[in-house]
Amino acid sequence: MFTFLLVLQALIAAGLVTVILIQRSEGGGFTGGSPSGLMSARGAADFLTRATAILATAFIICCISLATLAAMNQRTGTIDASAATPVQSAPAPVTAPTTVPTDPLAAAAGQATGNGTAPAPAGK
């Protein structure tokens, strides 16, 4: 029943969009506002207005029916509680580094250890 109402609602929505776009507005509407056709301009406006009202009412009734069916078909089951409660664990202790890292720029300049001194300029 739920699937049937869902398909019906999609069809009603498509029909409602079509009827609204066909209507003549101040901007001319989807059809450009040409008065030629099988019906007169006034008769077409009355028909499209009634069709819009009927489709809008059917759409709202379908929405309420779908919401009611969805609320009634709620399945009650067990909730996995392991995902809801976080596992408490002790944070890893922070330790200071035991060795001082060597300066990569000092090794590139030819110094054996990174004692923090800059290499002497080549011209002096």
Side-chain angles (χ1 to χ4, degrees), residues 8 11 17 19 22-23 25 34 59 64 66 68 71 87 93 100 108-110 116 118 121 124:
L8 183 66
L11 292 174
V17 167
V19 168
I22 289 174
Q23 288 183 13
S25 64
S34 64
F59 185 81
I64 292 171
L66 282 169
T68 304
V87 177
V100 178
K124 295 183 181 183

Side-chain angles (χ1 to χ4, degrees), residues 17-80:
V17 167
T18 304
V19 168
I20 288 172
L21 288 177
I22 289 174
Q23 288 183 13
R24 182 176 182 180
S25 64
E26 292 179 10
F30 185 66
T31 60
S34 64
S36 63
L38 296 175
M39 295 191 285
S40 68
R42 184 171 179 96
D46 290 342
F47 170 74
L48 293 175
T49 303
R50 286 187 188 132
T52 303
I54 290 169
L55 286 173
T57 303
F59 185 81
I60 296 299
I61 290 171
C62 194
C63 286
I64 292 171
S65 301
L66 282 169
T68 304
L69 280 175
M72 289 174 30
N73 289 338
Q74 264 186 345
R75 294 187 178 105
T76 58
T78 59
I79 297 175
D80 186 12

